[in-house]
């Protein structure tokens, strides 16, 4: 068995029950065989073994009082995965499914994603099994304050800088940042995704969705194509999905399907994004409400949105939401390109189907890196005490996404896997982190 295959088996055996982490690790390490063969130093310095273990993982309880004065308790985590190229950077997720395996997969992915941006940030991720849905503002605030009362010890502007993720938007970031500042007594850029009035960057809210479209546009232009006139299916209706849909329209495409965890809508004439904004961000309601705004649209309970014929699919909800059968349905209906707005939304078998059928496939660690890239720009502005315009930030984001495309394309070509952006992104991200680890000795 080859060195990387053997190692993947060893790591799986040593981390039982961590299926999401195994999936992410096997995807990255599975692409590295030719790189490791070319560079015996990586084996000698046990770089892959060291990279697979977080530098530190903190698990702690978060007790809080609900509106009825009942005591509630949740489990929270911060996985500080790799600081070889910069301080730990990665979001915080609030969702009932959160566990150590999911956060290890996200922190591991984040390390390579951050490396791909070309910016000096390491990888980390955090979260809690807390569900903000149905909670009052007061309950969300008390939960965030209790969480930060423990987490602040491990954070710092040059140490670990969290951001939002699923279930953590501007409201939650504000509450967590407020508590951090109150405890440490310093006004410092320890969180990104902050509100514009207290150190946030213009363009951060839009960055992941816009970045996804910039990357896909770069890929399509490389094939003399573009978004103009394309039918686009976008799963989710949160931060990433919404701004991906907006930029799709700006680039001439037509979003025709969106979803939430309850079901999906199909509006062949093009989704009315002002209605989505009202339902999801103002009312915090379910996407099923959409048919009240557009009676010709159809709402379906549950899964199945990938059966709708489209030209481009952008899964932007959560991990493992697009399975092999969905991939086959997309291929059969003529889908030409898939870009992962979410982290690992496509199963490994689904990705194989895309590759086998010549569908362009952009993996999340490249395609959704726009969010963390603009987070890093927010950190720069905080350090410099500056506030850039939306246009300045957007220009930089475009440049960074163009750079990511070049890096993954070049790495894929160098290792004779032309057009395989999974391999290209994994190799380019890995090499940057590996070289930094080698230079820093056995630490
Ligand atoms: P949000 O919480 O804003 O939105 C998540 C969306 O996905 C909601 O519409 C939610 O529906 C839906 N969803 C969640 N779980 C499921 C599920 N099991 N099945 C179907 N739909 C589901 O999160 P974001 O938009 O911020 O994040 C989405 C993805 O993008 C995540 O994978 C995240 O890690 C990734 N990402 C986010 C970045 C960012 O800047 N925000 C940066 C890079 C990656 P419902 O409301 O019903 O729960």
């Amino acid at each position: 068995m080859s060195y990387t295959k053997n190692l993947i088996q060893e790591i799986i055996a040593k981390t039982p029950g961590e299926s999401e982490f195994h999936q992410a690790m096997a995807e990255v390490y599975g692409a590295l065989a030719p790189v490791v063969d070319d560079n015996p130093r990586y084996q000698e310095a046990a770089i892959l073994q060291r990279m697979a273990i977080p530098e530190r993982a903190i698990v702690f309880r978060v007790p809080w009082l609900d509106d009825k004065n009942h005591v509630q308790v949740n489990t929270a985590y911060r996985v500080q995965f790799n600081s070889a190229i910069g301080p730990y950077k990665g979001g915080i997720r609030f969702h009932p499914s959160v566990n150590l395996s999911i956060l290890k997969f996200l922190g591991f992915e984040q390390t390579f994603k951050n490396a791909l941006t070309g910016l000096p940030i390491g990888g980390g991720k955090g979260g809690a099994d807390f569900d903000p849905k149905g909670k009052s503002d007061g309950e969300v605030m008390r939960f965030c304050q209790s969480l930060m009362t423990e987490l602040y010890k491990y954070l710092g502007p040059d140490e670990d800088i969290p951001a939002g993720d699923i279930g953590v938007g501007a409201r939650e970031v504000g509450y967590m940042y407020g508590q951090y500042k109150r405890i440490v007594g310093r006004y410092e850029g320890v969180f990104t995704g902050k509100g514009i009035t207290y150190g946030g960057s213009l363009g951060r809210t839009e960055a992941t969705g816009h970045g996804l479209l910039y990357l896909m546009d770069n890929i399509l232009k490389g094939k003399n194509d573009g978004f103009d006139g394309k039918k686009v299916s976008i799963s989710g209706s949160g931060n990433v999905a919404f701004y991906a849909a907006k930029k799709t329209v700006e680039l001439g495409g037509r979003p025709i399907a969106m979803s939430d965890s309850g079901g999906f809508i199909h509006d062949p004439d093009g989704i009315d994004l002002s209605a989505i904004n009202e339902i999801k961000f103002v009312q915090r309601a379910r996407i099923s409400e959409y048919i009240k705004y557009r009676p010709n649209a159809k709402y379906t309970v549950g899964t199945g949105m990938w059966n709708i014929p489209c030209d481009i699919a952008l899964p932007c909800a959560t991990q493992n939401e697009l399975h092999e059968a969905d991939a086959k349905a997309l291929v059969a209906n003529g889908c030409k390109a898939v870009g992962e707005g979410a982290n690992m939304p496509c199963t490994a078998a689904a990705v194989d189907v895309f590759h086998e059928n010549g569908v362009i496939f952009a993996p999340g660690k490249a395609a959704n890196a726009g969010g963390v890239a603009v987070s890093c720009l927010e950190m720069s502005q905080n350090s410099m005490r500056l506030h850039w315009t939306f246009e300045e930030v957007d220009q930089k984001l475009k440049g960074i996404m163009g750079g990511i495309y070049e890096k993954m394309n070049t790495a894929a070509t160098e290792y004779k896997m032309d057009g395989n952006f999974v391999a290209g992104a994994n190799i380019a991200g890995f090499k940057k982190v590996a070289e930094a680890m080698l230079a820093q000795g056995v630490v």
Side-chain angles (χ1 to χ4, degrees):
M1 210 191 291
S2 76
Y3 173 74
T4 45
K5 277 195 180 142
N6 205 23
L7 191 61
I8 291 169
Q9 292 312 320
E10 263 177 38
I11 295 169
I12 291 174
K14 278 190 188 162
T15 51
E18 298 185 354
S19 58
E20 293 86 359
F21 171 62
H22 298 162
Q23 186 182 340
M25 179 275 300
E27 185 213 278
V28 176
Y29 286 6
L32 295 181
V35 183
V36 177
D37 288 347
D38 268 9
N39 296 278
R41 295 172 311 152
Y42 296 153
Q43 269 192 57
E44 286 153 23
I47 292 290
L48 280 81
Q49 286 92 330
R50 283 195 272 153
M51 260 185 202
I53 302 175
E55 290 175 15
R56 188 177 301 106
I58 303 134
V59 184
F60 55 101
R61 71 167 176 246
V62 185
W64 54 283
L65 283 178
D66 67 19
D67 287 345
K68 294 187 181 121
N69 258 349
H70 293 156
V71 178
Q72 302 288 342
V73 63
N74 288 91
T75 308
Y77 311 79
R78 184 75 185 161
V79 180
Q80 298 182 327
F81 226 107
N82 195 306
S83 63
I85 64 171
Y88 310 109
K89 180 90 198 87
I92 290 189
R93 175 176 291 191
F94 290 167
H95 194 272
S97 64
V98 162
N99 60 33
L100 190 59
S101 167
I102 289 181
L103 293 179
K104 277 183 68 181
F105 123 61
L106 289 164
F108 183 79
E109 282 282 295
Q110 193 83 46
T111 301
F112 305 107
K113 179 190 306 188
N114 293 2
L116 273 176
T117 65
L119 300 166
I121 36 177
K125 199 83 187 187
D129 59 356
F130 170 78
D131 189 355
K133 274 197 212 103
K135 305 286 191 303
S136 69
D137 275 355
E139 288 176 324
V140 171
M141 183 176 75
R142 289 193 292 281
F143 176 79
C144 289
Q145 290 178 338
S146 178
L147 180 139
M148 192 47 74
T149 303
E150 177 62 25
L151 187 62
Y152 87 95
K153 297 169 195 167
Y154 308 97
L155 306 183
D158 296 311
E159 221 173 319
D160 186 350
I161 308 96
D165 191 72
I166 291 180
V168 178
R171 174 180 63 169
E172 292 76 13
V173 168
Y175 293 150
M176 285 190 272
Y177 182 67
Q179 182 74 351
Y180 174 87
K181 186 166 63 64
R182 187 181 185 199
I183 295 173
V184 304
R186 285 189 302 275
Y187 204 108
E188 54 194 17
V190 81
F191 244 97
T192 58
K194 297 187 293 297
I196 300 302
T197 53
Y198 60 95
S201 174
L202 289 167
R204 173 60 187 92
T205 311
E206 298 86 349
T208 309
H210 285 188
L212 167 65
L213 269 287
Y214 293 150
L215 185 90
M216 295 306 290
D217 201 38
N218 267 288
I219 297 177
L220 292 171
K221 284 202 174 114
K223 297 180 183 300
N224 294 320
D225 205 346
F227 272 86
D228 205 24
K230 297 286 192 304
K231 287 184 290 180
V232 185
S233 283
I234 304 171
S235 64
S237 47
N239 171 274
V240 180
F242 182 73
Y243 290 102
K246 276 197 111 170
K247 192 50 89 177
T248 295
V249 175
E250 276 176 47
L251 295 182
R254 179 158 38 112
I256 54 159
M258 289 183 84
S259 65
D260 64 17
S261 54
F264 62 93
I265 51 166
H266 180 203
D267 191 343
D269 300 331
I271 297 212
D272 175 355
L273 292 174
S274 58
I276 296 288
N277 183 50
E278 173 66 25
I279 296 164
K280 298 306 287 190
F281 299 103
V282 180
Q283 300 171 11
R284 291 182 187 264
R286 312 307 301 155
I287 207 163
S288 52
E289 296 289 304
Y290 184 80
I291 50 175
K292 291 184 186 155
Y293 294 75
R294 301 266 285 203
N296 288 339
K298 191 173 170 227
Y299 173 72
T300 307
V301 178
T303 54
M305 77 174 274
W306 305 118
N307 293 323
I308 299 169
C310 65
D311 302 307
I312 298 173
L314 303 175
C316 296
T318 193
Q319 66 271 1
N320 291 330
E321 52 159 310
L322 197 161
H323 299 263
E324 186 178 8
D326 301 317
K328 286 182 175 160
L330 284 167
V331 169
N333 286 325
C335 177
K336 293 281 177 288
V338 177
E340 292 190 318
N343 283 309
M344 207 169 72
C346 301
T347 63
V351 177
D352 288 345
V353 171
F354 295 136
H355 281 154
E356 283 156 14
N357 288 281
V359 173
I360 295 168
F361 178 76
K365 69 172 65 66
N368 68 37
V372 75
V374 173
S375 274
C376 197
L377 301 181
E378 181 174 331
M379 289 160 66
S380 305
Q381 292 169 77
N382 292 163
S383 301
M384 293 191 290
R385 302 283 187 265
L386 285 178
H387 189 61
W388 294 331
T389 62
F390 181 88
E391 288 69 29
E392 281 175 288
V393 174
D394 195 49
Q395 268 316 106
K396 291 186 196 327
L397 172 64
K398 268 190 194 155
I400 291 167
M401 298 314 293
I404 292 175
Y405 168 64
E406 291 299 331
K407 280 178 217 146
M408 67 179 189
N409 201 26
T410 306
T413 307
E414 188 189 341
Y415 286 92
K416 307 204 174 8
M417 287 183 273
D418 270 316
N420 183 336
F421 298 128
V422 174
N426 284 330
I427 291 169
F430 167 81
K431 281 180 91 171
K432 173 153 183 187
V433 181
E435 289 299 321
M437 286 177 73
L438 276 179
Q440 292 170 31
V442 181
V443 289

